[in-house]
Amino acid sequence: MKVLVAGGAGFIGSHAVEALRGAGCLPVVVDNLSRGAYLPRPSFYRLDLLSFELKTVLQRERPKVVIHLAAQVDVGLSVADPLLDARENILASLNLLQGCLAAGVAKVVFASSAAVYGEPQRLPMDEGHPCQPTSPYGAAKLSVEHYLGVFRTLYGLEYTILRYANVYGPRQSLLGEGGVVAAFCRRLQAGHGVKIYGDGEQTRDFVYVGDVARANVLALVKGDGETMNIGSGEEISINRLSRLLQAKFPGSPAPSFHAPRPGDLRRSVLDPSRARRLLDWSPKMPLPEGLGETARFYHDFEWR
């Protein structure tokens, strides 16, 4: 099966490309390289999703499925510049969907986010949890989810929506909520203690990038018309995360604590049971082992 991966040179995208190849698929990558530079060979197009050439590429390659991972992922930037965020996350997605229709694409697998839920009203958050995003980034992700529903109803373009928890692993950038793992690794690698905002008892749901890539491969042929959480289902405090990572960098200093950041959620964890039922997916990588893989990658990493 030929699969076009939008954003396939980035953090999650590059792992998805590897997983697709491992499953016997033929991946084609479109990426503007603004978020990553893990270049696949040979089927790579350096393109922005808003470019006119995107439709030409889709019609030339004729993929059966498109995995849409391209995004502006900095929540803070979305707050500072909502128009830019809407351009990169809503308008670019619409241009991709229009191109999919013109090229006869059968299905889109869309990378959404736990940010669509906003402040938790209950935990763990399942897919029936109210969606009240508290950032333009979350609002944009939810908007694209709605557009996918409209395109399915009007034009028959199939979809599966995957709402990610905090994805971590090798090749992660410092951007986005899940970037805390990369940020901690950067400081520990440099011999500094990690910075923790607040008391460190705030919790998040961390899911390994290899498990996320596997969910995308499964969604190629499963979960039509469905929305599913992709997370570990386990609440991890930032203090525990810090201790686990410090153990991977022996001799590292103790963390320093700073004033809480405005708008930070106190607790967050997703319920992944629907993905277990509909995709036959569940996370396989335990957090300590996943952090070990991540730390090994960053031990010799040259930050830019």
Side-chain angles (χ1 to χ4, degrees), residues 168-170 205-211 214 232 234 236 240-241 244 248 282-294 296:
Y168 76 97
D205 182 336
F206 293 97
V207 60
Y208 187 67
V209 66
D211 286 326
R214 182 166 46 84
S232 70
E234 182 181 3
I236 303 296
R240 184 185 173 204
L241 179 73
L244 288 170
K248 312 298 180 185
S282 58
K284 292 184 176 179
M285 179 67 81
L287 184 64
E289 286 84 345
L291 292 176
E293 292 293 323
T294 308
R296 277 188 287 276

Side-chain angles (χ1 to χ4, degrees), residues 1-5 25-28 57-58 60-67 100-101 103-109 156-159 219-222 224:
M1 180 190 302
K2 183 180 285 189
V3 180
L4 186 140
V5 185
C25 297
L26 178 62
V28 176
V57 168
L58 283 161
R60 178 188 302 140
E61 295 290 347
R62 297 280 176 177
K64 183 174 182 180
V65 179
V66 167
I67 296 178
C100 288
L101 291 181
V105 171
K107 181 175 183 178
V108 174
V109 178
L157 179 61
E158 197 54 82
Y159 71 81
L220 297 177
V221 296
K222 295 181 179 180
D224 287 1

Side-chain angles (χ1 to χ4, degrees), residues 31-278:
D31 200 301
N32 65 6
L33 302 187
S34 64
R35 301 284 185 267
Y38 300 100
L39 297 179
R41 293 288 188 265
S43 298
F44 168 70
Y45 297 88
R46 184 171 185 175
L47 286 178
D48 190 281
L49 291 192
L50 278 169
S51 69
F52 177 79
E53 292 81 7
L54 177 64
K55 291 182 180 179
T56 303
V57 168
L58 283 161
Q59 291 177 11
R60 178 188 302 140
E61 295 290 347
R62 297 280 176 177
K64 183 174 182 180
V65 179
V66 167
I67 296 178
H68 180 15
L69 293 160
Q72 189 295 111
V73 298
D74 189 331
V75 175
L77 179 58
S78 82
V79 173
D81 195 343
L83 189 59
L84 180 149
D85 185 79
R87 180 183 182 276
E88 294 198 15
N89 287 339
I90 300 176
L91 295 182
S93 297
L94 280 174
N95 195 48
L96 177 62
L97 294 183
Q98 292 277 60
C100 288
L101 291 181
V105 171
K107 181 175 183 178
V108 174
V109 178
F110 176 58
S112 189
S113 167
V116 303
Y117 294 121
E119 194 73 38
Q121 296 182 17
R122 61 177 183 268
L123 293 173
M125 292 181 285
D126 60 16
E127 293 82 359
H129 186 283
C131 290
Q132 297 175 333
T134 57
S135 68
Y137 170 77
K141 287 291 189 182
L142 186 59
S143 177
V144 177
E145 289 190 13
H146 288 311
Y147 274 111
L148 285 164
V150 170
F151 271 64
R152 184 177 191 249
T153 299
L154 293 180
Y155 313 117
L157 179 61
E158 197 54 82
Y159 71 81
T160 297
I161 294 166
L162 304 178
R163 290 175 176 167
Y164 299 160
N166 301 80
V167 187
Y168 76 97
R171 307 175 197 158
Q172 184 179 26
S173 77
L174 299 178
L175 298 178
E177 178 78 25
V180 63
V181 174
F184 280 10
C185 285
R186 182 175 190 174
R187 291 192 62 83
L188 291 168
Q189 181 211 40
H192 304 307
V194 305
K195 292 182 177 180
I196 295 177
Y197 296 91
D199 62 6
E201 288 305 301
Q202 61 268 40
T203 63
R204 296 294 183 267
D205 182 336
F206 293 97
V207 60
Y208 187 67
V209 66
D211 286 326
V212 173
R214 182 166 46 84
N216 278 273
V217 174
L218 291 169
L220 297 177
V221 296
K222 295 181 179 180
D224 287 1
E226 297 287 350
T227 299
M228 286 166 276
N229 290 332
I230 301 299
S232 70
E234 182 181 3
E235 279 189 87
I236 303 296
S237 74
I238 300 303
N239 283 332
R240 184 185 173 204
L241 179 73
S242 171
R243 290 192 296 270
L244 288 170
L245 275 174
Q246 280 187 279
K248 312 298 180 185
F249 293 85
S252 55
S256 58
F257 291 83
H258 304 263
R261 292 178 296 195
D264 269 2
L265 299 178
R266 182 63 180 174
R267 297 175 64 195
S268 182
V269 62
L270 297 183
D271 177 359
S273 59
R274 182 182 287 183
R276 186 178 302 115
R277 185 174 72 253
L278 299 179

